[in-house]
């Protein structure tokens, strides 16, 4: 099916190559949402045990994600690397001047001598079971680059080495779901530039960082979760950055954790202007309004005067502080921005310290520049001190929207009343954003409440990758099957954990978060 065929072994690639059909964004979104393109090889080992690589290719550039099934069409807990090039942007003219579209999948396979092994590679575009997939893949650009989407609708792109040299800009595409789709394809406009943490040292140097490593905890198709570590230029701190996304439909809630671990003493003077825990500007447009939680805890909107060279420090309230930029004055090719703080924990000399947050609001003559900082004068961090900042980054609304209701709503449903687990069977696995449970003897039972839209639940601690049974409790107290699949094998994600146990993740829609859902899972 899908014109799948073997191309044999490629010495250049070091892999066995298979080709198959694919599709584009519009077709996947409108007509083929539940269709999975597939290739099903049956390979027989030769005279020795081998570790080999499988490589599949489609000439379509819209490939988002992939999954692997065993000979009985059971989902395997094997991460697959998906790489693609959309075609038409010519972003790598030196190494790839033709800019040909492609969608590739690569993964390792162990095959014993004489063993016949049958498996299926699924190429995924829009849905994974009943719900849209959420994925992280690589995409061709002039630097290393991750691409994330809900189905074929792009949400974020991460450039861990920064977008244009050491500019600190890390999310070159940051697209909101609560704005209109393009007329040409199922995409939304992007917001401006978003900058990683930095500070000015006591010696006056602006200290940025360099990426050191990546840990992809989940590349989809149920949720995306990646962590990078950065080393500051002065070598005095390691900054760990976690980026997580769920397949939500109403907004692109981008869940972030920034953690500083200081390995040497660092003194920062004039902290309000020198330390940027996170910063942003509009890139191609300035904005008319700034929203924020003021020091008294009031949701506030001010009209921006946008005077060249202006700067002010705005103290922020303590309960889920936020800020937003909205109503572009220059361009309809953008969306708006919000940042909502879930928590900020500072540890100094082994003790928890409360330091209030503030917003540095400035205008350079063409762009608004907003930086989240601490509302204090001088800080000296010693080796062993830390900062952990948990925030939701939110692109939202059309360019000319005149309110930040989206930010206030997400603040309420995702920070003040977030997803919460009440566990009857099993144990809670602590996670800042993801409802996660450890099963007891292959069983878990829990009630999920709060939050909004599509939650993802992950349950770990199973002895087999065989698909578990999931049940939901009705209003009358009776249990019935909780269905997430459309093909039998889909609608769930399987993981092999470091402890030798298996885990499963699946979507649980929460609506407005006011109606708890009780589930049980049995492996």
């Amino acid at each position: 099916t899908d014109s799948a065929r073997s191309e044999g072994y490629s010495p250049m690639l070091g892999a066995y190559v298979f080709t198959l059909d694919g599709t584009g964004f519009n077709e996947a979104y409108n007509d083929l949402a539940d269709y999975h393109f597939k290739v099903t090889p049956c390979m027989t080992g030769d005279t020795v045990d081998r570790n080999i690589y499988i490589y599949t290719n489609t000439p379509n550039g819209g490939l988002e994600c992939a999954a692997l099934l065993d000979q009985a069409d059971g989902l395997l807990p094997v991460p697959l690397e998906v790489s693609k090039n959309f075609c038409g942007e010519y972003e790598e003219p030196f190494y790839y001047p033709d800019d040909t579209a492609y969608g590739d999948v690569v993964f390792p396979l162990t095959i014993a001598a004489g063993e016949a092994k049958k498996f299926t590679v699924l190429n995924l575009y829009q849905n994974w079971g009943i719900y849209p997939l959420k994925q992280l893949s690589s995409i061709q650009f002039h630097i290393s680059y991750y691409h994330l989407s809900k189905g074929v609708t792009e949400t974020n792109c991460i450039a861990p080495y920064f977008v244009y040299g050491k500019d600190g800009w890390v999310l070159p595409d940051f697209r909101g779901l609560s704005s209109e789709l393009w007329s040409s394809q199922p995409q939304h406009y992007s917001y401006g530039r978003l900058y990683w943490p930095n500070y000015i040292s006591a010696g006056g140097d602006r200290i940025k960082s360099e990426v050191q490593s990546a840990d992809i905890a989940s590349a989809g198709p149920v949720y995306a979760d990646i962590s990078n570590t950065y080393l500051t230029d002065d070598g005095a701190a390691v900054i760990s950055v976690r980026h997580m996304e769920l397949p939500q439909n109403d907004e692109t809630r981008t869940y972030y954790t920034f953690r500083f671990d200081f390995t040497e003493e660092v003194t920062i003077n004039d902290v309000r202007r020198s330390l940027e825990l996170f910063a942003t500007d509009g890139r191609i447009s300035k904005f008319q309004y700034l929203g924020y939680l003021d020091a008294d805890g009031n949701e506030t909107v001010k009209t921006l005067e946008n005077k060249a060279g202006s700067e002010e420090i705005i103290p922020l309230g303590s309960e889920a502080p936020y800020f937003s930029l909205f109503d572009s004055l220059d361009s309809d090719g953008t969306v708006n921005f919000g940042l909502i703080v879930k928590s900020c924990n500072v540890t100094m000399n082994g003790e928890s310290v409360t330091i209030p947050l503030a917003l540095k609001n400035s205008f350079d003559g063409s762009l608004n520049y907003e930086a989240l900082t601490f509302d204090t004068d001088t800080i000296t961090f010693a080796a062993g001190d830390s900062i952990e900042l948990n925030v939701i980054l939110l692109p939202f609304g059309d360019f000319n929207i005149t309110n930040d209701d989206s930010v206030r709503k997400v603040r309420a449903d995702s920070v003040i009343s977030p997803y919460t687990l009440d566990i009857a069977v099993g144990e809670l696995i602590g996670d800042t954003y993801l409802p996660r449970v450890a099963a007891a003897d292959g069983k878990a039972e829990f009630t999920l409440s709060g939050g909004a839209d599509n939650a993802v639940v992950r349950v770990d601690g199973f002895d087999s990758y065989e698909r578990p049974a999931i049940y939901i409790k009705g209003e009358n107290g009776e249990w019935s099957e909780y269905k997430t699949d459309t093909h039998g094998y889909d609608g769930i994600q399987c993981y092999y954990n470091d402890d030798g146990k298996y885990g499963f993740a699946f979507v649980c829609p929460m609506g407005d978060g006011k109606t708890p859902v009780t589930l049980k899972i049995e492996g």
Side-chain angles (χ1 to χ4, degrees):
T1 61
D2 301 325
S3 302
R5 66 178 185 177
S6 170
E7 304 291 346
Y9 181 77
S10 168
M12 288 290 291
L13 293 172
Y16 291 87
V17 179
F18 301 87
T19 58
L20 69 162
D21 291 337
T23 189
F25 295 138
N26 292 333
E27 295 81 4
Y29 186 83
N30 293 311
D31 305 316
L32 299 172
D34 293 313
Y35 190 82
H36 301 153
F37 293 81
K38 65 179 65 175
V39 54
T40 303
C42 184
M43 306 182 72
T44 302
D46 55 15
T47 58
V48 297
D49 297 346
R50 293 190 183 276
N51 296 322
I52 63 175
Y53 279 91
I54 304 298
Y55 176 100
T56 73
N57 167 264
T58 176
N60 296 80
L63 179 62
E64 302 293 5
C65 196
L68 183 65
L69 307 180
D70 65 13
Q71 67 277 6
D73 286 343
L75 183 66
L76 288 165
V78 178
L80 308 184
E81 180 180 353
V82 176
S83 302
K84 57 180 172 280
N85 181 44
F86 291 154
C87 176
E89 296 173 312
Y90 295 93
E91 291 173 322
E92 184 41 87
F94 183 80
Y95 290 104
Y96 208 68
D98 294 337
D99 197 38
T100 303
Y102 61 81
D104 296 340
V105 179
V106 180
F107 62 94
L109 185 72
T110 298
I111 187 164
E115 178 187 18
K117 182 165 283 187
K118 182 181 178 182
F119 55 91
T120 298
V121 182
L122 301 172
N123 279 7
L124 310 176
Y125 291 83
Q126 182 60 30
N127 287 349
W128 181 243
I130 295 173
Y131 305 101
L133 64 84
K134 170 62 67 173
Q135 64 82 26
L136 179 144
S137 59
S138 75
I139 190 170
Q140 184 169 291
F141 192 45
H142 66 271
I143 52 170
S144 299
Y145 199 87
Y146 295 108
H147 173 266
L148 298 100
S149 69
K150 185 199 77 171
V152 295
T153 301
E154 185 176 273
T155 52
N156 277 291
C157 286
I158 308 170
Y161 293 92
F162 308 119
V163 180
Y164 295 114
K166 200 161 188 174
D167 56 3
W169 180 16
V170 184
L171 300 179
D173 289 289
F174 185 67
R175 303 181 185 275
L177 296 174
S178 57
S179 60
E180 292 186 8
L181 284 175
W182 295 356
S183 59
S184 60
Q185 56 180 267
Q187 310 298 337
H188 302 268
Y189 283 112
S190 178
Y191 170 74
R193 289 178 285 220
L194 301 102
Y195 300 101
W196 256 209
N198 62 87
Y199 55 86
I200 297 175
S201 68
D205 298 320
R206 175 66 70 180
I207 304 299
K208 295 183 180 178
S209 58
E210 294 282 356
V211 71
Q212 305 294 299
S213 64
D215 179 15
I216 301 173
S218 181
V222 170
Y223 77 101
D225 191 351
I226 180 172
S227 295
N228 290 102
T229 57
Y230 289 76
L231 180 66
T232 56
D233 293 340
D234 57 3
V238 174
I239 303 176
S240 303
V241 181
R242 180 192 186 187
H243 177 129
M244 194 186 84
E245 295 183 31
L246 309 179
Q248 295 167 329
N249 292 303
D250 59 339
E251 299 285 0
T252 306
R253 295 170 181 81
T254 307
Y255 302 90
Y256 260 95
T257 296
F258 298 96
R259 182 180 172 89
F260 294 69
D261 285 291
F262 292 92
T263 57
E264 299 176 13
E265 183 176 289
V266 172
T267 296
I268 305 173
N269 298 314
D270 192 14
V271 170
R272 297 175 183 87
R273 293 172 176 82
S274 299
L275 173 62
E276 296 182 349
L277 298 169
F278 186 88
T280 183
D281 68 46
R283 188 171 70 90
I284 59 173
S285 62
K286 57 182 177 290
F287 291 85
Q288 184 164 331
Y289 298 111
L290 174 71
Y292 59 93
L293 188 76
D294 72 14
D296 295 324
N298 300 310
E299 297 176 332
T300 304
V301 172
K302 69 176 293 180
T303 302
L304 293 166
E305 297 181 3
N306 291 332
K307 291 183 179 180
S310 63
E311 180 183 274
E312 63 176 332
I313 304 298
I314 302 173
L316 298 177
S318 59
E319 184 184 15
Y322 71 92
F323 71 87
S324 59
L325 282 172
F326 56 101
D327 193 0
S328 168
L329 292 168
D330 298 308
S331 172
D332 62 355
T334 190
V335 296
N336 312 286
F337 175 77
L339 179 152
I340 308 156
V341 178
K342 179 177 175 63
S343 63
C344 184
N345 304 305
V346 181
T347 301
M348 303 180 76
N349 298 317
E351 297 183 357
S352 179
V353 178
T354 299
I355 306 176
L357 292 166
L359 177 66
K360 181 178 72 174
N361 168 41
S362 60
F363 185 73
D364 66 2
S366 60
L367 293 174
N368 313 99
Y369 188 88
E370 313 301 322
L372 185 69
T373 186
F374 285 130
D375 193 11
T376 190
D377 296 317
T378 302
I379 298 179
T380 297
F381 292 103
D385 291 351
S386 65
I387 304 168
E388 183 173 290
L389 175 69
N390 295 295
V391 298
I392 296 175
L393 306 181
L394 186 74
F396 70 95
D398 295 311
F399 75 101
N400 57 354
I401 194 169
T402 57
N403 64 70
D404 62 353
D405 290 353
S406 289
V407 180
R408 300 184 189 199
K409 175 184 177 296
V410 171
R411 174 177 177 257
D413 66 37
S414 300
V415 177
I416 295 175
S417 298
Y419 300 126
T420 303
L421 283 170
D422 182 11
I423 300 174
V425 178
E427 295 183 3
L428 178 70
I429 298 177
D431 190 288
T432 304
Y433 299 112
L434 184 70
R436 193 168 175 182
V437 179
D441 297 324
K443 297 180 180 180
E445 182 182 331
F446 50 85
T447 297
L448 180 67
S449 58
D453 207 80
N454 287 339
V456 167
V457 178
R458 179 164 169 174
V459 185
D460 294 287
F462 295 93
D463 293 328
S464 168
Y465 70 82
E466 184 178 351
R467 188 185 189 93
I470 309 174
Y471 303 95
I472 186 169
K473 182 180 283 189
E475 293 182 1
N476 58 3
E478 295 183 356
W479 295 97
S480 61
E481 178 188 6
Y482 179 69
K483 187 174 176 62
T484 59
D485 67 281
T486 55
H487 293 283
Y489 54 72
D490 55 351
I492 201 165
Q493 188 172 344
C494 184
Y495 305 85
Y496 181 70
N497 298 322
D498 291 342
D499 62 0
K501 299 286 189 176
Y502 296 88
F504 300 91
F506 55 93
V507 173
C508 180
M510 296 302 295
D512 60 7
K514 296 180 180 178
T515 303
V517 177
T518 299
L519 299 163
K520 68 178 178 181
I521 179 168
E522 298 177 349

